[in-house]
Amino acid sequence: MGEFEVHRVRFFGLVPAGVRCLACQPRGSRLALARTDGAVEVYNFAANYYQEKVIPGHDARAVESLCWAAGDRLFGAGLSGDITEYDLSRLSAARGADGGGGPIWSMAANGTGTQLAIGCEDGSVKIFQVVPGGIQFERNLDRRKGRVLCLSWHPSDTHIAAGSIDIFRVIDVASGQTVQRIMVNYHVEKVKRECVVWAIALLSRGTVVTADSFGRVQFWDWQQGTLAESHTVSTSAVLSLAVAEKEDSIVVGTSTGATYQLQLLPVKLGGSEKRWVRTKPFQHHSHDVRAVAHSPTALISGGLDAQLVIRPLMERVQKKGYDAALRKFTFPHRRLVSCARKARLLLFQFSQHLELWRLGSTRETGKDGEVLPLCRMPEHLVQLKSKGPEHIYCSCVSPCGTWLGYSTASRFHLYRVRCDGISLRKV
């Protein structure tokens, strides 16, 4: 092997966008992920969690909630107040509909995937019908004061649990009326700050599970309106919650970067009485864990540190091997750096701009492994900002360094580069 020089590039200042929400495909093999910049990614469980699709972000499309409906149709909603369906073949937003209630904080699909429920800023819960070619507004459910931060359907599709500040309520879907309203702080003395119900789940046996800003995971009998169990899992807020399909395991994420698992276990060996027990804490994130998901064989978490962590449940993995390994996705899977070898140029791709750099050079020689001093430092030549609200999907610089191109979801841009006078001319 001949000698060669390695240039250590330390001037690519990429800051990955954090994970905002996750959605596992019901009875499917895909995981949808939305980031804080509006980008949506799809991972395939069956192909070792391969990132098979990326839909670039958009300035006017911040995603607060994702859900799958009607099999393989993916919907997103956010503070813009719109519900967006994504075209997974064209990798773009296919169509949208106005929620009609201001910013949308939460969205959930029913068990059959035929209806979407959204929770809005104005305190309303709205039902949309999933029809071929889009969605159609069906009706409003009982409206109360306070934004609806989280939603959950009962597996039988008869009731919806909606969490807000200091309260949660259970709504009968058929009548559209609230049948139970529970204050989450009624049993706490001298509470001077509000309690935010960040996540909620309505189980088939009539239990409502809430995760709140006091660091508690609570289990409620909503028909009686009583608290059955309460677990303080953190000194800070519990931000996210997900339940296994069999409803025997729960994963929660906190603002300290920790995730916890709770399992439904017998009180006595061989007994029929069961209680929820916190069994496994994990510390894989450095920032808020805003999203969690529970697959049949793994606990999945996404944090504002931009990491996606998949921790397999060893008791549910059939055989040891690659499926039993802990996975951390800490860097983008797309190519964000393009090289012009002849011109010694590097093109760095960010969400809304490009940077063109000239590599440094040296005249020194040395032994293997030595660091050579530079006679010319790396030079930042051009910063090219994209036009419009669409984020950059891909980019490239020609080998000779005279052509630069980038693409968004709808347009392709080509520029001619002149490095002598450092100028760009659009073609």
Side-chain angles (χ1 to χ4, degrees):
M1 180 181 292
E3 295 183 356
F4 57 89
E5 296 177 354
V6 177
H7 194 112
R8 295 179 180 175
V9 177
R10 297 178 178 176
F11 43 86
F12 185 20
L14 177 69
V15 179
V19 178
R20 180 61 191 88
C21 51
L22 297 170
C24 281
Q25 187 178 20
R27 296 171 293 278
S29 60
R30 291 191 288 182
L31 171 75
L33 175 153
R35 296 190 178 271
T36 52
D37 63 352
V40 176
E41 304 169 5
V42 177
Y43 294 81
N44 194 322
F45 292 163
N48 292 324
Y49 296 93
Y50 171 71
Q51 186 191 77
E52 62 178 25
K53 301 177 187 295
V54 177
I55 301 173
H58 194 283
D59 281 351
R61 195 172 61 236
V63 183
E64 286 289 321
S65 182
L66 281 175
C67 70
W68 296 89
D72 58 352
R73 295 173 63 178
L74 180 62
F75 293 87
L79 301 185
S80 63
D82 295 328
I83 305 171
T84 303
E85 181 175 0
Y86 297 98
D87 189 331
L88 298 182
S89 60
R90 296 175 180 263
L91 301 182
S92 63
R95 57 190 68 87
D98 186 5
I104 300 173
W105 289 93
S106 53
M107 179 175 60
N110 64 350
T112 58
T114 58
Q115 291 177 311
L116 295 178
I118 61 170
C120 303
E121 175 76 19
D122 63 356
S124 64
V125 176
K126 302 176 185 293
I127 302 293
F128 285 80
Q129 193 78 22
V130 180
V131 297
I135 58 174
Q136 184 176 352
F137 175 74
E138 186 173 331
R139 60 199 177 98
N140 285 308
L141 302 184
D142 189 18
R143 176 181 170 183
R144 298 293 176 93
K145 184 179 179 180
R147 62 181 60 145
V148 181
L149 297 173
C150 49
L151 287 172
S152 177
W153 286 79
H154 190 272
S156 65
D157 299 343
T158 57
H159 294 82
I160 292 176
S164 300
I165 297 175
D166 289 331
I167 68 165
F168 75 87
R169 54 196 174 104
V170 179
I171 306 171
D172 183 89
V173 176
S175 64
Q177 299 301 312
T178 298
V179 295
Q180 186 64 270
R181 183 175 181 272
I182 298 177
M183 300 287 294
V184 294
N185 277 335
Y186 78 95
H187 60 289
V188 180
E189 297 180 359
K190 299 181 180 179
V191 175
K192 296 182 179 180
R193 58 190 176 97
E194 61 185 18
C195 179
V196 181
V197 180
W198 284 116
I200 196 166
L202 181 53
L203 305 185
S204 58
R205 51 185 170 271
T207 301
V208 176
V209 189
T210 60
D212 59 41
S213 57
F214 286 1
R216 303 172 303 187
V217 178
Q218 296 183 306
F219 299 83
W220 304 82
D221 183 337
W222 71 266
Q223 293 179 335
Q224 301 295 327
T226 57
L227 177 65
E229 295 183 47
S230 180
H231 299 262
T232 301
V233 300
S234 176
T235 56
S236 59
V238 180
L239 301 174
S240 50
L241 179 150
V243 183
E245 185 177 356
K246 295 182 180 179
E247 298 185 352
D248 59 353
S249 176
I250 292 175
V251 58
V252 297
T254 68
S255 59
T256 61
T259 56
Y260 298 88
Q261 184 190 13
L262 293 93
Q263 290 181 283
L264 188 61
L265 300 174
V267 176
K268 295 182 180 180
L269 185 63
S272 59
E273 183 183 358
K274 295 182 178 181
R275 295 194 65 181
W276 289 95
V277 179
R278 192 182 76 182
T279 57
K280 297 176 183 177
F282 307 110
Q283 185 76 45
H284 297 305
H285 299 274
S286 58
H287 293 69
D288 296 3
V289 181
R290 298 295 299 271
V292 292
H294 204 311
S295 77
T297 59
L299 306 179
I300 306 169
S301 58
L304 293 186
D305 56 2
Q307 290 192 101
L308 174 66
V309 178
I310 301 171
R311 184 177 183 88
L313 296 171
M314 299 305 296
E315 67 272 15
R316 300 189 183 184
V317 177
Q318 298 295 328
K319 57 182 180 179
K320 293 185 178 180
Y322 191 72
D323 291 339
L326 174 69
R327 297 175 178 84
K328 285 187 178 183
F329 299 91
T330 59
F331 55 90
H333 285 203
R334 293 182 294 157
R335 190 182 73 169
L336 301 179
V337 180
S338 180
C339 178
R341 295 181 60 185
K342 296 180 181 179
R344 295 178 61 83
L345 299 178
L346 286 181
L347 180 68
F348 299 142
Q349 176 184 319
F350 297 84
S351 61
Q352 293 179 285
H353 73 275
L354 303 174
E355 290 184 2
L356 187 66
W357 287 72
R358 178 184 285 124
L359 288 174
S361 60
T362 182
R363 298 189 183 96
E364 303 293 331
T365 59
K367 299 179 181 180
D368 292 346
E370 289 186 351
V371 178
L372 304 179
L374 296 177
C375 63
R376 188 178 69 181
M377 298 300 293
E379 183 181 1
H380 184 195
L381 301 178
V382 173
Q383 183 182 88
L384 176 62
K385 295 184 179 180
S386 64
K387 297 180 180 180
E390 294 181 324
H391 291 186
I392 298 173
Y393 182 72
C394 57
S395 61
C396 189
V397 61
S398 63
C400 61
T402 57
W403 297 95
L404 183 155
Y406 74 90
S407 176
T408 63
S410 62
R411 300 186 67 184
F412 172 73
H413 303 262
L414 180 64
Y415 291 83
R416 185 177 179 86
V417 183
R418 294 182 178 177
C419 291
D420 49 356
I422 310 189
S423 62
L424 288 175
R425 182 169 64 87
K426 189 171 183 180
V427 179

